């Protein structure tokens, strides 16, 4: 008698010791959160995240050990936006200086600086302490600015700086995510209520997914001390965790429910679910994990952080599905189907074959070549805009102009351009060459003062490190970070800096800043993208060959995934590089896609779509093994798996689409891109392209092998009616060659796994 798979053994132990399994899971999640909270987050620094010349500039600046300063700027303007009354402005500025100097949080207050256009006064303020927690200490300064505003009618007093900007944006984003959570949870529950028709059954996947997200956030915090973490990781963990956590639970719960309906006991039903759905979950999770590992080949700290967070949450979701989920199902028993939602419950309990899916599949099965041409043509048409994709890093000009702190930033840079877009020139040279470096930098500044590409509202100051080896100077430009003017000023500065330092022996120079970082990051990704894409495509090919022993299936999987990814990119470009959707999605188009998104989206899409592809093609091959024609096998395989695939896709699309409501443009693009990709994959690919392609190929689908089993010319009407398992594994590998009993049994009209017969065409495999 063969040894049962590990998924079955784990599930049976959990089902027979439910309180122990549930208790260990609760302890595990609590320990992850506690340890993560105690360790704290090790965030990516500018030195670690930089690439190319801007990365070198960051390393030069870091080597100078300059003291960090949390700087605030209090801007005084006329409320109507016109010319500022000099007397009223000076009086308000005097009040600002007086109130700021009285605060314990303030280290220094500078003299008021008039704007060149005469419409504003600027009071510079330096806070005590470092910049990391300035947002938590800036409130007294904001209160002082508000008090001055109240005391001077007709004036507007804004505060913009390290702490105030971070505080304003974090509050806005915090409200965004709260709103997203308030929408996502009820929406997910509603979808699952439609799927299961019972409240507890709908709630179990959501609760389990949330626990996975919590544990993964704690573990990723610990992992950040090995691989530093970007601020977006927690958001990506929430997005991925809710999607895969709910999906994996959905697969498992639906199969366990079917087995109980077929008459099995709770433990036996859980065993069958573990051997079928549990196997699917492990294969799917492993595929997603290895695909996400491709991001490490990007050789960049942000992508390594995103890969680590995604891998952790998927691994935790797989672990939860194999361990605590069987325990919950065993403990709940038939209570999992309570309380029932009357109308929805009757829908989920309907017997007989659905009429919808055969009707949808009819074009692909009756006229496969025409359907293939039309559906592929539609996807290629959607992909056309992707040919004009432009990549740029997100910046302040991507933020919604409805945010008050963003409006204040706009007013500040309007009157004082040097406070907006800034290039940082960094030079490292021997200490005895410090005077030569200063002279060279002053010569450089003299050139920028004569060029309209640079800001002239103030004279840049040269900073010198304590050891006199490192010098920096910030050179402003009056253009927005993503504008052509900002890029031209960067290119010009990068041409002038080496010329200025040519006569300083041993000098190492570089130009950094936000614009430089965006340009360098985008260029770096374009160079690394072929390596990541190649790795993912190779992985997909090898995985499909190992599962199906068919080069045709493997090649078609790659082509279909590339097709759906290209169409999703086309949708992304059409929406975000143009202005027609700005009002609907509440964003300001920069004419570009966030540079890190296509690579991340490509990897995630391949990982998630492989889940559906393996699932559906396995069902088609299972039907083909029984000797029916390819057309019948395609019809049965897709019809039998349509319920689970559609439910899982709807959950994913719902969760991803909610991210399109957030203020940050990168999350909008991520949510819309993933939602579009999953929707296209689940609808056009699975209903039209895949069945049409497999029907057209016939037995060539399994090339270079053959479909084992009976004859392949059975008439279409000879369709077995007892196959309705949604995730039954196609093969089980034996550790040694042995002849299994050629017997099977059915219970309640449902074929149960267990007995196997030898598959002579596949050494070491046994067919169910």
């Amino acid at each position: 008698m063969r040894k049962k798979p590990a998924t079955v053994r784990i599930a049976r132990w959990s089902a027979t010791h439910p309180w122990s399994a549930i208790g260990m899971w609760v302890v595990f999640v609590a320990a992850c959160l506690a340890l993560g909270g105690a360790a704290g987050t090790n965030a990516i620094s500018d030195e670690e995240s930089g690439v190319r010349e801007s990365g070198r500039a960051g390393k030069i600046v870091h080597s100078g050990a300059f003291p960090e300063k949390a700087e605030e700027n209090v801007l005084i303007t006329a409320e109507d936006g016109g010319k500022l009354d000099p007397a009223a402005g000076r009086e308000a500025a005097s009040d600002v200086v007086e109130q700021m100097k009285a605060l314990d949080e303030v280290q220094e207050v500078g003299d008021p600086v008039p704007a060149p256009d005469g419409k504003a006064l600027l009071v510079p303020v330096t806070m005590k302490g470092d910049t990391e927690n300035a947002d938590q200490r800036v409130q007294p300064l904001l209160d002082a600015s508000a008090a001055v505003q109240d005391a001077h009618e007709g004036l507007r007093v804004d505060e913009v700086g390290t702490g105030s900007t971070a505080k304003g944006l974090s509050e806005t984003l915090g409200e965004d995510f709260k709103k997203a959570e308030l929408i996502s949870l009820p929406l997910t529950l509603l979808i699952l209520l439609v799927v299961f028709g019972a409240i507890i059954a709908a709630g179990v996947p959501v609760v389990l997914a949330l626990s996975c997200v919590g544990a993964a956030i704690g573990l990723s915090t610990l992992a950040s001390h090995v691989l530093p973490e970007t601020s977006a990781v927690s958001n990506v963990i929430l997005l991925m965790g809710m999607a895969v956590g709910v999906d994996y639970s959905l697969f498992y719960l639906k199969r366990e429910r079917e087995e109980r309906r077929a008459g099995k006991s709770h433990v036996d039903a859980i065993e069958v679910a573990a051997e079928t759905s549990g196997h699917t979950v492990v294969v799917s999770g492993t595929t997603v994990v290895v695909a996400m590992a491709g991001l490490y080949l990007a050789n960049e700290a942000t992508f390594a952080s995103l890969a680590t967070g995604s891998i952790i949450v998927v691994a935790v979701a797989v672990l939860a599905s194999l361990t605590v989920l069987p325990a919950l199902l065993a403990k709940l028993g038939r209570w999992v189907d309570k309380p029932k939602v009357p109308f929805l419950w009757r829908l989920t309990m309907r017997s007989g074959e659905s009429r919808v899916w055969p009707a949808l599949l009819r074009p692909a099965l009756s006229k496969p070549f025409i359907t293939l041409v039309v559906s592929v043509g539609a996807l290629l048409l959607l992909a056309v805009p992707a040919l004009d994709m432009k990549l740029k890093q997100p910046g302040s000009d991507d933020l919604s102009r409805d945010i008050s702190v963003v409006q204040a930033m706009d007013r500040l840079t309007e009157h004082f351009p040097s406070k907006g877009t800034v290039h940082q020139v960094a030079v490292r040279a021997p200490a005895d060459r410090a005077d030569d470096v200063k002279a060279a930098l002053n010569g450089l500044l003299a050139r920028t003062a004569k060029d309209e590409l640079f800001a002239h509202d103030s004279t840049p100051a040269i900073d010198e490190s304590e050891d006199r080896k490192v010098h920096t100077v910030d050179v402003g430009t009056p253009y927005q970070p993503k504008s052509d003017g900002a890029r031209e000023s960067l290119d010009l500065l990068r041409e002038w800096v080496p010329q200025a330092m040519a006569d300083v022996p041993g000098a190492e120079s570089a130009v950094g800043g936000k614009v430089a970082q965006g340009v360098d990051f985008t260029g770096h990704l374009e160079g690394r993208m072929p390596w990541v894409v190649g790795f993912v495509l190779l992985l997909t090919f090898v995985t499909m060959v190992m599962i199906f022993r068919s080069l045709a299936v493997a090649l078609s999987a790659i082509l279909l995934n590339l097709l759906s990814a290209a169409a999703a990119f086309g949708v992304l470009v059409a929406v975000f590089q143009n202005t027609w959707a700005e009002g609907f999605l509440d964003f300001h188009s920069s004419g570009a896609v966030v540079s890190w998104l296509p690579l991340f989206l490509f990897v995630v899409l391949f990982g998630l779509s492989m889940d559906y592809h393996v699932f559906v093609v396995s069902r088609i091959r299972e039907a083909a093994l029984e000797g029916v024609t390819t057309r019948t096998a395609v019809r049965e395989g897709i019809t039998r798996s349509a319920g689970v695939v559609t439910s899982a896709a709807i959950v994913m699309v719902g969760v991803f689409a909610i991210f399109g409501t957030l203020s940050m443009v990168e999350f909008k693009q991520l949510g819309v891109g993933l939602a579009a990709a999953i929707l296209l994959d689940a609808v056009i690919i699975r209903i039209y392209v895949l069945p049409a392609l497999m029907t057209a190929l016939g037995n060539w689908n399994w090339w270079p092998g053959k479909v084992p089993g009976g004859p392949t010319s059975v008439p279409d009407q000879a369709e077995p009616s007892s196959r309705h398992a949604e995730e039954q594994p196609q093969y089980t590998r034996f550790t040694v060659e042995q002849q299994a009993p050629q017997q099977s049994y059915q219970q309640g009209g449902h074929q149960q796994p267990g007995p196997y017969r030898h598959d002579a065409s596949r050494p070491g495999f046994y067919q169910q």
Side-chain angles (χ1 to χ4, degrees):
M1 186 175 185
R2 72 183 182 96
K3 187 178 181 180
K4 292 185 177 181
T7 56
V8 177
R9 300 197 303 272
I10 294 171
R12 184 169 186 87
W13 185 91
S14 297
T16 53
H17 303 81
W19 285 121
S20 298
I22 294 171
M24 286 191 292
W25 180 255
V26 171
V27 170
F28 170 72
V29 174
C32 290
L33 289 171
L35 291 173
T41 301
N42 178 29
I44 296 176
S45 65
D46 291 339
E47 179 191 11
E48 294 165 322
S49 62
V51 294
R52 299 193 174 184
E53 183 172 345
S54 59
R56 295 199 307 273
K59 290 179 172 63
I60 292 174
V61 174
H62 182 76
S63 68
F66 291 96
E68 294 184 346
K69 298 178 181 179
E71 297 181 346
E72 294 291 315
N73 300 284
V74 181
L75 181 70
I76 302 170
T77 57
E79 194 171 27
D80 59 4
K83 197 166 184 67
L84 177 67
D85 178 72
R90 285 194 299 270
E91 184 181 352
S94 178
D95 284 354
V96 170
V97 172
E98 182 180 353
Q99 293 214 30
M100 291 296 177
K101 284 185 175 180
L103 297 176
D104 294 335
E105 292 82 5
V106 173
Q107 177 178 314
E108 182 183 0
V109 181
D111 295 330
V113 180
D117 59 10
K119 293 183 178 181
L121 273 175
L122 180 68
V123 180
V125 180
T126 303
M127 294 179 62
K128 295 177 181 177
D130 57 31
T131 60
E132 290 185 1
N133 58 0
D135 58 329
Q136 301 172 22
R137 299 179 285 108
V138 76
Q139 189 59 49
L141 283 74
L142 294 173
D143 294 339
S145 297
V148 175
Q149 165 83 72
D150 294 339
H152 295 269
E153 187 176 352
L155 298 181
R156 178 189 287 116
V157 180
D158 293 313
E159 184 172 339
V160 180
T162 307
S164 55
T165 302
K167 181 178 176 63
L169 292 179
S170 63
E171 288 177 350
T172 300
L173 293 177
E175 292 175 1
D176 274 355
F177 285 113
K178 287 180 182 178
K179 180 179 69 175
E181 290 170 2
L182 290 175
I183 297 173
S184 64
L185 292 180
L187 177 62
T188 303
L189 282 171
L190 180 61
I191 296 171
L192 293 174
L193 275 177
V194 174
V195 173
F196 291 110
I199 293 176
I200 293 179
V204 167
V206 174
V207 172
L208 203 60
L210 288 174
S211 71
C212 292
V213 169
I217 288 176
L219 289 174
S220 69
T221 302
L222 292 174
S224 71
H225 293 275
V226 178
L227 290 173
E229 184 174 295
T230 180
S231 58
V233 164
S234 59
N235 308 124
V236 171
I237 286 177
L238 175 62
L239 182 141
M240 293 286 291
M242 289 301 297
V244 300
V246 169
D247 271 9
Y248 294 164
S249 300
L250 177 64
F251 285 173
Y252 207 107
L253 188 52
K254 281 185 72 70
R255 184 55 189 265
E256 187 270 347
R257 195 189 210 191
E258 289 177 5
E259 295 304 325
R260 282 193 291 105
R261 286 175 57 192
K264 284 189 175 295
S265 67
H266 292 305
V267 174
D268 289 341
I270 289 170
E271 278 199 13
V272 174
E275 190 167 9
T276 55
S277 295
H279 173 76
T280 300
V281 167
V282 171
V283 171
S284 170
T286 302
T287 303
V288 176
V289 165
V290 180
M292 294 304 301
L295 289 178
Y296 290 118
L297 296 180
N299 194 28
E300 198 276 328
T302 300
F303 276 103
S305 175
L306 295 176
T308 302
S310 300
I311 288 171
I312 288 174
V313 75
V314 172
V316 171
V318 171
L319 180 65
S321 299
L322 299 182
T323 57
V324 70
L325 183 56
L328 286 172
L329 296 180
K331 199 63 189 173
L332 288 170
R334 297 194 179 276
W335 278 96
V336 76
D337 292 329
K338 312 272 184 178
K340 299 171 182 173
V341 182
F343 174 71
L344 297 177
W345 175 259
R346 287 196 297 271
L347 286 179
T348 63
M349 292 294 105
R350 284 188 311 175
S351 59
E353 186 181 79
S354 170
R355 298 179 182 179
V356 175
W357 295 107
L360 291 174
L361 289 171
R362 191 171 294 120
L365 299 179
S366 60
K367 298 180 178 179
F369 291 100
I370 295 177
T371 303
L372 189 62
V373 170
V374 172
S375 55
V376 169
L379 289 173
L380 290 176
L381 191 62
L382 284 175
V384 168
L387 297 175
D388 190 40
M389 180 183 289
K390 297 179 176 62
L391 302 178
K392 289 183 179 179
Q393 274 289 77
S396 59
D397 46 351
D398 288 312
L399 298 172
S400 171
R401 277 23 233 177
D402 294 333
I403 303 175
S404 58
V405 70
V406 175
Q407 295 172 359
M409 290 167 59
D410 288 342
R411 286 190 287 269
L412 176 65
T413 55
E414 178 186 355
H415 301 297
F416 295 91
S418 61
K419 296 291 184 180
T421 307
V422 176
H423 305 303
Q424 186 178 48
V425 179
V427 181
R428 181 166 51 200
D432 58 1
R433 294 290 181 178
D435 293 337
D436 295 338
V437 171
K438 286 183 180 180
L441 289 176
N442 282 322
L444 174 69
L445 295 177
R447 296 183 72 177
T448 62
K450 299 175 183 178
D451 197 298
E452 293 302 320
L453 286 174
F454 302 98
H456 305 141
D457 58 278
S458 63
T459 302
I462 300 174
D463 289 334
E464 183 179 75
S465 63
E466 188 174 345
D467 60 6
R468 304 194 71 199
K469 292 182 178 180
V470 178
H471 295 80
T472 67
V473 61
D474 292 339
V475 181
T477 176
Y479 301 99
Q480 291 292 329
K482 292 186 179 179
S483 65
D484 292 336
R487 177 62 187 269
E488 289 176 16
S489 65
L490 172 67
D491 292 341
L492 189 59
L493 200 59
R494 284 183 164 177
E495 179 183 341
W496 286 353
V497 168
Q499 295 174 3
M501 295 299 150
D503 295 331
V504 182
E508 177 187 1
S509 62
V511 180
K514 295 298 183 183
V515 178
Q517 289 171 1
V519 170
D520 292 343
F521 186 78
T522 302
H524 176 78
L525 289 188
E526 290 174 349
R528 299 300 300 178
M529 190 173 291
W531 292 96
V532 179
V533 171
F535 175 85
V536 174
L537 292 179
L538 179 62
L539 168 70
T540 303
F541 181 80
V542 171
T543 301
M544 296 303 287
V545 169
M546 290 178 62
I547 294 174
F548 296 102
R549 298 297 193 271
S550 167
L551 294 177
V553 170
L555 289 173
S556 65
I558 289 176
L559 292 176
L560 296 188
N561 282 337
L562 285 174
L563 188 60
S564 63
F569 289 157
V571 171
L572 196 65
V573 170
V575 171
F576 289 100
Q577 284 189 194
N578 298 285
T579 59
W580 61 270
E582 284 184 334
F584 176 67
L585 291 175
D586 188 24
F587 74 99
H588 174 69
S589 176
S590 64
V593 173
V594 175
S595 56
W596 61 266
L597 186 63
L599 190 58
F600 182 76
L601 182 64
F602 178 84
V603 172
V604 172
L605 173 60
F606 259 72
L608 296 180
S609 63
M610 277 293 293
D611 178 12
Y612 299 149
H613 197 88
V614 171
F615 186 65
V616 174
V617 175
S618 294
R619 293 297 294 147
I620 294 172
R621 185 175 176 85
E622 182 183 345
L625 288 171
E626 298 191 8
V628 300
T629 62
T630 300
R631 179 178 286 105
T632 301
V634 170
R635 179 181 181 276
E636 284 204 7
I638 294 180
T639 300
R640 301 302 186 190
S641 61
V644 173
V645 170
T646 303
S647 301
I650 291 174
V651 170
M652 281 197 178
V653 170
V655 172
F656 293 152
I658 291 170
F659 275 70
T661 66
L662 303 184
S663 297
M664 298 291 282
V665 69
E666 54 259 58
F667 292 125
K668 284 183 181 292
Q669 293 185 8
L670 178 63
V672 171
L674 283 173
I678 297 299
L679 187 62
L680 291 171
D681 190 71
V683 177
I684 299 182
I685 295 292
R686 305 302 164 208
I687 297 177
Y688 297 107
V689 180
L690 176 64
L693 177 62
M694 296 194 74
T695 302
L697 288 176
N699 283 344
W700 283 101
N701 282 295
W702 321 115
W703 180 84
K706 296 180 180 179
V707 180
T712 58
S713 58
V714 178
D716 284 359
Q717 62 267 26
E719 299 178 3
S721 60
S722 62
R723 295 190 308 271
H724 66 272
E726 304 249 359
E727 302 96 8
Q728 185 167 324
Q730 184 179 346
Y731 293 106
T732 298
R733 178 179 287 276
F734 281 25
T735 55
V736 294
E737 293 278 344
Q738 56 183 347
Q739 181 70 31
Q742 297 187 20
Q743 58 180 341
S744 63
Y745 62 95
Q746 292 189 8
Q747 184 172 343
H750 178 75
Q751 185 171 333
Q752 307 296 338
Y756 297 82
R757 57 188 172 84
H758 181 56
D759 178 3
S761 67
R762 297 269 307 273
F765 281 80
Y766 286 79
Q767 177 189 343
Q768 289 186 334

